[in-house]
């Protein structure tokens, strides 16, 4: 959308949009990113319940062995993660243990940025998925490219920050339409046309100023175009699956609706917040894990019912795990390495890597075993069929995430 | 949160050290950043980290050891019902913090932090970014930071230096910031003389990405392009449509397009477009935008059915009203209208 279009060009462009073919089953791969904001405590998520150090370091908030949902004779899941135990049994859940990066940063804001940009050393403006999108969409016409990715949150995360493509954020389909006085539809159409004509050609007036005008213009155009084409595609979605009745559940259902509607989009992003459990962690986790696991299980079932499950995987990540020892408030402070989950019918279920030692620590924190960029590289190369080296700027070990 | 807001209003133009101390002892901060759980035997690092990262020096200017030592100094700061220092839970051993050693309490940590040159830079940068422009250059920041330090962290003097700086009046700072949702919504109501405040305005701002009194995290809103995504922008467009469309009734205090037009003696399409571009966006729009708006106002279209492409033809009252509403809506959707 960088080029300026004249009005006749715009009209033909919109006409092409209306005819853009929907995505067909099996034609491409879809990645759903679930950001767990706040820094999820990995040790009370995937629990090393037989390690005596675990309950010793966590006398108040440690989960007792009989309550743990056991996955094998060493590790198990938090008692509120029943649906993930089922997914594990069905071979649709991969757990990657001890994921982190060198010299971990314990600031929420810097560490999430590191995860989003895949660059631990210096601040980078583009996200790892943003760089993938720039490469994957180069040479494609904008008409085929209106949804390079969809962010199902009000704020666009740096993960999706790209240089060449605009990623729309849509969290509420009802309000996502260009409104005007409902009594005069012709006037609404004229306003919308005027809006588009203005936005097609809106150069900054003063040179050396207006740093935001061009970006506003691009996002603005994307806003009306996305709303136009999306409303049509999601109209026929039907589902009997019950999602958790909260923002995260509705967001996942919306993603499922978009996929089932044939929206041509390969990347979705959604966030679940509240993982900064400095106090009363067990109570906080109870709600969080129910929402997370029931939501993802519903999403998986919904996709299976629509025969789309083989095309989609879900990956969870968080800015950091937490300190091994609990604090005085029945919670945990900011730490380092933690497990990640990858879910889907095409995923090779199981446990990848070993639980880092609870006693050989780095300043009170777990030492990471698997670099998070190995997970990204595997997904980029094996799932999205991209070239991870040109996106992550280095080669990382591949993990056995897919059969 | 109400008390905290009062603290900000009371100390906002005073001394930064006092502001920081008062905010640190404010129950909202103590509860939200878990200092109630920060005890002698089990320190909680939450506030110790954020006070350095977000409120004073910024990231990269302290070590993990400093975080732990500062946490010990803040032990015992609680707020069961207003601020309370729980002596029994305070760690009275020596702490070594940013190279200084002593039996520090929370007040000492704040004093040390306030006097740091990194804090002068960090706060000056924040104030410049809020009031003037994003991404200021280092020299400008340092000039303001010098005022901050020389005035013993006086915020009024620091702000005065920003407002009097040549940068503040430069082209570079002109329409160089994106309005926050609160600025967009409240600014619109003020400039269009809307007196009636609907009860759901906070919810509207929340959908635009700013839920007042409920920032997404302790860092607050990032501002800049983070306000602008397709759905938050659509919210802005639709708020503009709603304000422009709502029924007018002088007694109810909603906008009355005819009254507004009469204030400017706007009789035809050209008057209307030029007056309102001036009033709402300081005429800061490219020629094409003006041309398109003129075409819209002059076009024969419902609701008026007026047949005229003459932009200087006199509009009758009904046409004036219908087109004014559409025009106001469209001006408020312009890229420039998102800027301050």
């Amino acid at each position: 959308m960088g080029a300026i279009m004249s009005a006749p060009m715009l009209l033909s462009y919109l006409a092409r949009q209306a005819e853009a073919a929907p995505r067909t089953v099996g034609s491409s791969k879809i990645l759903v990113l679930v950001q767990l904001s706040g820094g999820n405590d990995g040790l009370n998520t995937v629990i090393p319940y037989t390690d005596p150090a675990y309950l010793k370091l966590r006398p108040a908030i440690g989960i007792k062995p009989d309550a743990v949902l056991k996955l094998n004779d060493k590790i198990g899941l938090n008692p509120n993660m029943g649906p993930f135990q089922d997914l594990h049994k069905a071979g649709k859940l991969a757990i990657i243990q001890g994921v982190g990066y060198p010299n971990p940063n314990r600031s929420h804001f810097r560490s999430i940025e590191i995860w989003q940009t895949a660059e631990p050393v210096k601040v980078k403006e583009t996200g790892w998925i943003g760089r993938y999108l720039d490469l994957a969409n180069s040479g494609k016409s904008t008409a085929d490219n209106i949804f390079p990715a969809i962010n199902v949150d009000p704020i666009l995360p740096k993960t999706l920050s790209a240089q060449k493509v605009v990623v729309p954020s849509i969290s509420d389909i009802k309000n996502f339409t260009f409104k005007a006085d409902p009594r005069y539809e012709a006037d609404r159409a004229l306003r919308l046309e005027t809006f588009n004509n203005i936005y097609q050609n809106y150069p900054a007036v003063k040179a050396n100023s207006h740093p935001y005008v061009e970006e506003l213009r691009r996002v603005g155009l994307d806003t009306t175009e996305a709303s136009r084409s999306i409303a049509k595609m999601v109209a026929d979605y039907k589902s009997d699956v019950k999602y958790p009745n909260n923002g995260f559940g509705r967001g996942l259902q919306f993603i499922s609706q978009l996929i089932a509607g044939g929206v041509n989009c390969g990347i979705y992003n959604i966030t679940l917040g509240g993982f900064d459990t400095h106090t009363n962690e067990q109570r906080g986790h109870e709600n969080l894990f129910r929402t997370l696991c029931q939501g993802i299980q519903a999403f998986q079932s919904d996709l299976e019912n629509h025969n789309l499950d083989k095309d989609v995987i879900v990956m969870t990540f968080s800015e950091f795990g937490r300190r091994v020892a609990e604090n005085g408030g029945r919670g945990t402070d900011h730490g380092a390495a933690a497990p990640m989950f990858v879910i889907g019918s095409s995923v090779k279920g199981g446990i990848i890597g070993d639980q880092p030692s609870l006693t050989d620590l780095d300043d009170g924190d777990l030492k990471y075993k698997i670099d998070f960029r190995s997970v990204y590289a595997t997904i980029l190369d094996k799932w999205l069929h991209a070239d991870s080296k040109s996106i992550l700027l280095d080669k990382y070990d591949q993990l056995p995430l897919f059969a | 949160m109400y008390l905290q807001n009062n603290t900000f209003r009371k100390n906002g133009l005073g001394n930064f050290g006092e502001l920081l101390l008062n905010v640190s002892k404010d129950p909202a901060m103590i509860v939200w950043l878990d200092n109630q759980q920060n005890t002698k035997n089990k320190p909680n690092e939450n506030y110790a980290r954020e006070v350095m990262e977000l409120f004073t020096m910024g990231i990269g200017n302290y070590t993990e050891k400093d975080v732990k030592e500062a946490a010990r100094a803040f032990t015992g700061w609680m707020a069961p019902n207003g601020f309370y220092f729980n002596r029994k839970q305070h760690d009275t051993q020596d702490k070594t913090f940013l190279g200084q050693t002593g039996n520090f309490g929370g007040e000492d940590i704040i004093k040390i932090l306030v006097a740091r040159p990194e804090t002068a830079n960090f706060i000056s940068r924040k104030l410049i970014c809020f009031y003037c422009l994003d991404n200021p250059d280092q020299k400008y920041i340092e000039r303001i930071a010098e005022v901050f330090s020389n005035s013993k962290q006086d915020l009024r003097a620091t702000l005065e230096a920003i407002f009097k700086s040549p940068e503040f009046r430069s082209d570079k700072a002109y329409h160089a910031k994106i309005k926050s949702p609160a600025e967009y919504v409240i600014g619109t109501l003020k400039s269009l003389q809307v007196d009636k405040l609907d009860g759901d305005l906070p919810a509207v701002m929340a959908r635009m990405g700013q839920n007042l009194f409920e920032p997404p995290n302790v860092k607050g809103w990032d501002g800049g392009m983070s306000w602008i995504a397709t759905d938050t922008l659509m919210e802005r467009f639709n708020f503009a449509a709603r304000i422009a469309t709502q029924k007018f009734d002088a007694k109810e205090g909603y906008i009355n397009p005819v009254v507004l037009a009469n204030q400017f003696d706007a009789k035809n399409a050209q008057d209307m477009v030029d007056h309102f571009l001036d009033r709402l966006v300081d005429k800061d729009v490219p020629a094409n935008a003006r041309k398109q708006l003129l075409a819209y106002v002059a076009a024969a279209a419902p609701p008026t059915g007026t047949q005229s492409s003459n932009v200087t033809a006199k509009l009758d009252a009904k046409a004036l009203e219908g087109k004014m509403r559409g025009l106001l809506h469209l001006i408020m959707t312009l890229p420039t209208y998102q800027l301050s």
Side-chain angles (χ1 to χ4, degrees), chain A residues 109, chain B residues 54 215-223:
Chain A
F109 314 105
Chain B
L54 302 176
N217 53 53
V218 59
K219 192 177 170 196
W221 295 280
D222 285 334

Side-chain angles (χ1 to χ4, degrees), chain B residues 16 90 101 103 170 204 214-215 217 225 228 242 251 300 305-306:
Chain B
F16 176 69
H90 182 67
T101 303
N103 175 15
S170 67
V204 171
E214 203 173 331
N217 53 53
M225 273 307 286
I228 303 300
R242 164 175 154 178
K251 271 181 260 164
T306 309

Side-chain angles (χ1 to χ4, degrees), chain A residues 107 169 177 199 202 210 212 278, chain B residues 34 53 134 230 284 333 336:
Chain A
S107 151
S169 296
T177 171
Y199 267 71
Y202 203 92
H210 295 106
Y212 294 117
H278 287 280
Chain B
D34 305 315
E53 179 176 341
D134 300 325
T230 44
D284 180 27
T333 67
T336 315

Side-chain angles (χ1 to χ4, degrees), chain A residues 238-370:
Chain A
K238 279 195 192 68
S239 174
D240 302 326
V241 174
K242 204 167 162 285
Y243 285 83
N245 185 22
N246 52 38
F248 183 73
R250 282 188 289 275
L252 282 174
Q253 182 164 30
F254 179 49
I255 295 174
S256 162
Q257 194 175 2
L258 295 172
I259 295 172
V263 173
N264 239 322
C265 171
I267 309 278
Y268 295 88
N269 182 81
I270 185 168
T271 300
L272 177 60
F275 286 91
D276 194 17
T277 48
H278 287 280
T279 54
N280 294 320
E281 176 169 309
Q282 285 202 358
R283 203 172 57 206
H285 263 175
E286 189 178 319
N287 285 328
L288 290 165
F289 287 145
R290 279 189 188 161
T291 296
L292 174 73
C293 300
Q294 289 173 8
I296 288 180
Q297 186 184 46
F299 180 69
Q300 174 70 20
S301 308
D302 205 357
L303 291 174
E304 286 173 15
N305 294 345
H306 285 92
N307 197 25
L308 283 157
D309 54 305
K310 291 199 174 57
D311 294 356
V312 183
I313 64 168
V314 177
M315 183 197 96
T316 72
F317 69 106
S318 192
E319 61 260 48
F320 39 62
R322 307 188 75 88
R323 293 214 191 275
V324 177
E326 65 188 25
N327 64 22
R330 307 181 71 86
T332 48
D333 292 324
H334 303 182
M340 288 173 74
F341 297 111
V342 181
I343 302 114
S345 297
S346 297
V347 169
K348 187 178 167 194
I351 295 153
I352 298 172
D354 299 320
Q355 168 65 47
S357 164
L358 301 194
T359 47
D360 174 24
L361 300 176
D362 174 12
D363 199 13
D365 286 333
L366 298 177
K367 292 179 177 169
Y368 81 98
K369 297 238 173 175
I370 293 177

